[in-house]
Amino acid sequence: MIRLTLLALLGALAGCGSDGDYPALVPVGTLLSDAPDAPAPTDELRARGDALEARAEALRRAQP
């Protein structure tokens, strides 16, 4: 009896909002096409990245 009641309730709720006025979905490709390209890393950023990689490697070697 409980299953029948739950099934009827779910069926009634499934019909709710089916006639709503929802906006049309926008394809993701059109949203991402206007995104600017990431700038190339500068020499300063590359130097910082190299220093971080060297520090990480030193920490890995120090651990047993």
Side-chain angles (χ1 to χ4, degrees), residues 15-41:
C16 294
S18 61
D19 58 348
D21 188 23
Y22 296 107
L25 297 178
V26 179
V28 175
T30 59
L31 292 175
L32 299 178
S33 64
D34 295 336
D37 293 334

Side-chain angles (χ1 to χ4, degrees), residues 2-28:
I2 292 176
R3 289 183 184 173
L4 183 58
T5 305
L6 288 176
L7 185 59
L9 180 63
L10 288 174
L13 289 176
C16 294
S18 61
D19 58 348
D21 188 23
Y22 296 107
L25 297 178
V26 179
V28 175

Side-chain angles (χ1 to χ4, degrees), residues 43-60:
D43 292 334
E44 179 184 349
L45 287 176
R46 286 187 184 146
R48 287 178 62 192
D50 292 341
L52 285 173
E53 287 177 5
R55 182 173 180 222
E57 185 61 33
L59 289 172
R60 286 188 200 106

